[in-house]
Amino acid sequence: MALAAALCFGVAMVLQALGAQRHSPSAEGSGLLGTVRAMVNLPFAAGLLLDALGFVAQLIALRSLPLYVVQAALAGALAVTAVLGAALLRIRLGRAEWAGVAGVCVGLAVLGATAGAEGHKQPGTAFHWMLLAAVLVIAAVGGFVWKLREPVRAAVMGTLCGLGFGVVGLAVRVLPAIHGLDLWPLLSEPATYALLAGGAVSFVFMTEGVRGGKVTTATAAMVLGETALPAVLGVVLLGDRTRPGMLPLALAGFALAVVGALALARFGEVSPVEEAPAEVAEPSHPTRIG
């Protein structure tokens, strides 16, 4: 399910980038209205549908795997984006990009082999409210930096997006179990609203970061934000562990997957290759002007 989520998110990233690129900030404005307009087109809508499917797969994975494994797998969506861009959009991958793809694949394979079961620690209710408060802080900071200039703006937007997705992962892990059709435990749970708000805020910030043009900066910041801090919190607060004696190997696999994703950060947005304009034939005789 984690790999299926990465596949959905990787393909969605291509579609959303193509859709968002049709509405540049200079043409539509850099405010919230411009961001909404960038989302209203067929490629972006198809990407959102894939995001929804990927989110369901992510929920299933988070209920049975350690948080650090799932978050690293989601960062591996960049490998899917890179390979898809090379195959469909005639984008040439260099040695560094192919090394990044290999690093992500090997790192995730190592993580899968060394991961133990998900932790069963349950932080107190205060932590659930802290997740919701974290989303509000992320949204407030995003509104404050909305008018900053690039590349600082892209780096902050990407980081906030990654942290928002990290909150989503943590919120899923602390949600109560559902028995039958009794939804009251979910409706009365602050983590439920942290999950929904965190996902929405992250999508807005990532869309705006892509539209800003500094794609590599925004995507690299997003990868770090959604992997590093949530992984640490999963170990410390939720009790995630590796298989006995495999912690060093798991750390190496995690680092390899993240470094590989960072090497592929420029594929956070994929642009179709523009065909060169046809050459205009020169006239065989000089043209008189006058």
Side-chain angles (χ1 to χ4, degrees):
M1 288 296 102
L3 294 177
L7 178 63
C8 290
F9 290 148
V11 177
M13 199 177 295
V14 178
L15 297 175
Q16 289 170 344
L18 292 177
Q21 195 180 46
R22 294 181 178 182
H23 301 269
S24 63
S26 59
E28 301 289 346
S30 59
L32 183 59
L33 181 59
T35 302
V36 173
R37 287 175 177 173
M39 296 180 180
V40 184
N41 54 75
L42 184 58
F44 203 100
L48 287 178
L49 178 59
L50 282 175
D51 276 328
L53 295 176
F55 182 67
V56 173
Q58 178 188 359
L59 292 181
I60 298 174
L62 283 169
R63 302 299 283 189
S64 57
L65 284 176
L67 187 62
Y68 66 85
V69 177
V70 179
Q71 297 304 102
L74 298 184
L78 291 175
V80 177
T81 303
V83 174
L84 184 64
L88 299 183
L89 300 177
R90 294 178 293 140
I91 295 176
R92 183 175 300 174
L93 297 183
R95 293 181 179 179
E97 285 77 25
W98 282 117
V101 172
V104 169
C105 294
V106 173
L108 291 180
V110 171
L111 279 177
T114 60
E118 65 167 339
H120 296 288
K121 287 185 179 179
Q122 283 297 329
T125 306
F127 178 74
H128 299 202
W129 285 103
M130 287 174 62
L131 291 176
L132 184 57
V135 175
L136 298 178
V137 171
I138 290 172
V141 173
F144 179 76
V145 304
W146 200 279
K147 297 296 185 179
L148 289 180
R149 294 184 177 182
E150 305 293 359
V152 175
R153 180 176 179 274
V156 176
M157 286 287 185
T159 302
L160 293 175
C161 171
L163 292 175
F165 285 135
V167 169
V168 169
L170 290 166
V172 171
R173 283 290 301 275
V174 300
L175 287 178
I178 300 297
H179 302 286
L181 298 178
D182 183 14
L183 298 180
W184 177 246
L186 280 182
L187 297 177
S188 60
E189 171 58 59
T192 300
Y193 303 101
L195 185 157
L196 298 174
V201 167
S202 297
F203 274 125
V204 171
F205 287 162
M206 196 64 240
T207 302
E208 189 62 23
V210 168
R211 292 176 66 232
K214 301 296 183 181
V215 179
T216 300
T217 302
T219 309
M222 180 194 71
V223 169
L224 291 175
E226 74 175 345
T227 53
L229 182 59
V232 172
L233 293 178
V235 172
V236 175
L237 297 179
L238 303 179
D240 290 342
R241 294 291 183 268
T242 65
R243 294 179 186 273
M246 291 190 174
L247 177 58
L249 192 57
L251 290 175
F254 181 84
L256 186 58
V258 173
V259 170
L262 292 177
L264 296 169
R266 73 184 185 92
F267 287 94
E269 177 183 30
V270 178
S271 304
V273 178
E274 296 182 358
E275 297 182 359
E279 295 183 359
V280 179
E282 296 182 358
S284 57
H285 302 283
T287 302
R288 296 183 63 181
I289 302 176

